[in-house]
Amino acid sequence: MSLFDKKISELHELLHTKEMKVSELVDASFSRIQQVDEKVKAFLTLNEEGAREQAKLLDSKMGTDEMRGLLFGLPIGVKDNISTKGLRTTNGSQLLANFEPVYDATVVQKLNEAETVTIGKLNMDEFAMGSSNENSGFFQTRNPWNTDYVPGGSSGGSAASVAAGEVFFSLGSDTGGSIRQPAAFCGVVGLKPTYGRVSRFGLTAFASSLDQIGPITNTVEDNAFLLQAIAGHDKMDSTSANVDKQDYTAALTGDVKGLKIAVPKEYIGEGVDEEVKNRIMEALKVLEGMGAEWEEVSLPHSKYGVATYYLLASSEASSNLARFDGVRYGVRTENADNLLELYNHTRSEGFGDEVKRRIMLGTFALSSGFYDAYYKKAQKVRTLIKNDFDQVFEKYDVILGPTTPTTAFKVGEKTDDPLTMYANDILTIPVNLAGVPAISVPCGLSNGLPVGLQIIGKAFDESTIYRVAHAYEQATDHHQNKPEL
């Protein structure tokens, strides 16, 4: 059994009984990266020197009272839009190819307090804009299940690194499905927490009203451990919710008897692959056999989700990305004679096509004469989408459906058709617009590629999501399927 097939709780036991050192885990992680990352290309920057120094320090604490926490000594990968002090953070963009932050994001501080070991920064679609990782400004990450296929995006590197056994868990960010979609494509567990549950301080803003940092892991239990470490109110983030943190592991009872599940007809209707639909129906039978009840419902405004999302997210991106001008940090053009040329050439040379496309769309939607027709109307539709969820949650505990309409697609298959690429997020986007939590867990294979089951919960009720996901995971063996690289 590989070390990377073990759960966090099992590794914790090995470290506490001194059967293994932290430095051995770190060595195993870098050894695996050296072995497979040429094929997967999950990492943009490795922290080899820093990780080995940290491992030595933690080795010296083993067997003492200073050794604390379930995550002690475990190697983690961090998405490259999350600030890490002194460790290059590029956002997958050539514009920030030389950028080293002077502070840690709050989630990184929390992981440092839990004494994890940061192995490196993970590849992503540039500024988190993409559904396939083909928009990275450096190189494409590949799906460990079949390297001819995409890993999903924008957190493709985060999901691929866990699926490939390079790290035990990783952090991603989810603006319209960017944790759940790659988790589904790569056959791992990915959670988008409730908006405000996890601090966004130190996360490069794409769409500030939608972005959330979340954990990607091999199992639901591991996911709950990681959320336990990173969740909580943060005075550095004005959108951080001051709510009590739950004990997420207490929800992992395996019992779903009497639970009421809603299945939106829009999530299993036209456009959803037949094999994907079959895996979802099989999952419902498993949960039904455990005592849960399910009924078909409707989320009628979901069909407007993609258009609403791309107007709102692009508008916020247009504003947020205005700060990248070549003046204060990042790469600066050498072809400018005055300030306006500096702005123009730096952004033209530094941003990729997809980022430029969204900045232009957002700027248009916010411009005089079009604001009411597009941006304001999209905000109204967002409220309707949220109301749909609120009404369903009055009667049901969770909403269940596929994470994505299809399994992973081939590299290059959709790059020339942005609208088809955008539609790939149709089942994940409404969750971000409503601000509620959702998790993707493996629920089988279709033509050798993983299928994701999406479980959506009420705001700040991650515990119920974990309860359902864990019960399903324990009743099946889909999470034990691993790619052969």
Side-chain angles (χ1 to χ4, degrees), residues 231-249:
H233 179 248
D234 179 20
K235 64 182 180 181
M236 300 296 288
D237 174 10
S238 62
T239 62
S240 176
N242 194 2
V243 295
D244 292 335
K245 188 165 70 170
Q246 301 163 343
D247 180 2
Y248 304 113
T249 56

Side-chain angles (χ1 to χ4, degrees), residues 1-7 10 165 168 218-219 480 482:
M1 187 181 189
S2 165
L3 280 175
F4 290 90
D5 292 330
K6 293 185 183 295
K7 296 189 294 184
E10 294 171 329
F168 293 99
N218 282 306
T219 69
Q480 295 174 4
K482 302 293 179 187

Side-chain angles (χ1 to χ4, degrees), residues 111-127:
L111 289 173
N112 289 341
E113 289 164 10
E115 298 189 301
T116 61
V117 180
T118 300
I119 294 298
K121 306 301 290 292
L122 294 158
N123 197 19
M124 56 182 283
D125 286 302
E126 185 181 8
F127 287 103

Side-chain angles (χ1 to χ4, degrees), residues 95 323-333 342-343 346:
L95 195 65
R323 71 194 67 175
F324 300 108
D325 53 15
V327 175
R328 288 154 292 187
Y329 48 79
V331 173
R332 177 185 295 188
T333 185
L342 173 68
Y343 295 156
T346 294

